[in-house]
Amino acid sequence: MGAAEPRFASLARWAALTEKEIRHHSLALIATFAIVIPGWFICFLNVLVDESRLTYLDCHARFLVLFLPILVAVLGHRLIVQEFFNRTQLFLEALPLSRPEMLGGKFLFGAAIIAFVNVVSFTLAWIPAALHPEPLTGVFVAMVLVRSQVFLWT
């Protein structure tokens, strides 16, 4: 049982760090989503205006290229730069966390938010595309979702 305790202690530290990130950056994320969500609907309205040139899945791709960089820039700034500016980095360094745990927690928190936004955008584009007479197979839908996730990490 002694070998399992450090693993659970490490998970508890990661959970506490994630909770801290959510509390510390929630207002900035809400403000950013207030900008990004209308951007997605602008892309969606472009599809409704001219369905002959754009598809609903094109809306997802345009959202990733045009509006997701805004979210990534704000998120990166909040997670790294604001920690040093507000001197909360000094507080974090005083905690019993290693630097890889601290940076890994920030990276995983940012990656989870970006992946969540990607999946929500894809789902919002896929639902009307599935109801529309577009030939969508499960393999094609999975391929588009995987390609959009790969786009985010390259």
Side-chain angles (χ1 to χ4, degrees):
M1 185 141 175
E5 288 177 359
R7 184 179 321 149
F8 291 126
S10 178
L11 287 176
R13 287 194 303 263
W14 280 66
L17 187 60
T18 303
E19 182 182 336
K20 176 254 176 209
E21 297 295 344
I22 291 171
R23 273 195 327 268
H24 190 72
H25 304 296
S26 61
L27 290 177
L29 289 174
I30 290 169
T32 305
F33 285 135
I35 295 169
V36 170
I37 290 171
W40 192 91
F41 284 107
I42 289 170
C43 291
F44 187 76
L45 289 175
N46 284 332
V47 174
L48 294 177
V49 168
D50 191 5
E51 289 186 23
S52 64
R53 291 186 344 176
L54 298 171
T55 66
Y56 294 102
L57 293 177
D58 285 334
C59 176
H60 170 66
R62 287 176 184 232
F63 172 77
L64 290 181
V65 171
L66 297 174
F67 291 99
L68 203 63
I70 296 170
L71 175 67
V72 170
V74 169
L75 194 60
H77 182 266
R78 291 293 302 183
L79 289 176
I80 303 299
V81 176
Q82 285 290 44
E83 295 290 334
F84 286 102
F85 183 73
N86 293 337
R87 300 192 187 269
T88 53
Q89 182 67 28
L90 297 173
F91 171 73
L92 288 174
E93 289 174 357
L95 295 176
L97 291 170
S98 67
R99 188 168 291 258
E101 281 180 324
M102 195 172 16
L103 293 177
K106 289 180 179 296
F107 177 78
L108 290 177
F109 178 73
I113 289 175
I114 292 168
F116 173 75
V117 169
N118 183 26
V119 169
V120 168
S121 170
F122 178 77
T123 304
L124 289 174
W126 176 72
I127 290 172
L131 298 175
H132 200 268
E134 290 186 38
L136 297 176
T137 63
V139 173
F140 177 74
V141 170
M143 183 179 67
V144 170
L145 183 59
V146 168
R147 285 186 69 193
S148 64
Q149 287 290 0
V150 169
F151 168 77
L152 294 176
W153 305 112
T154 58

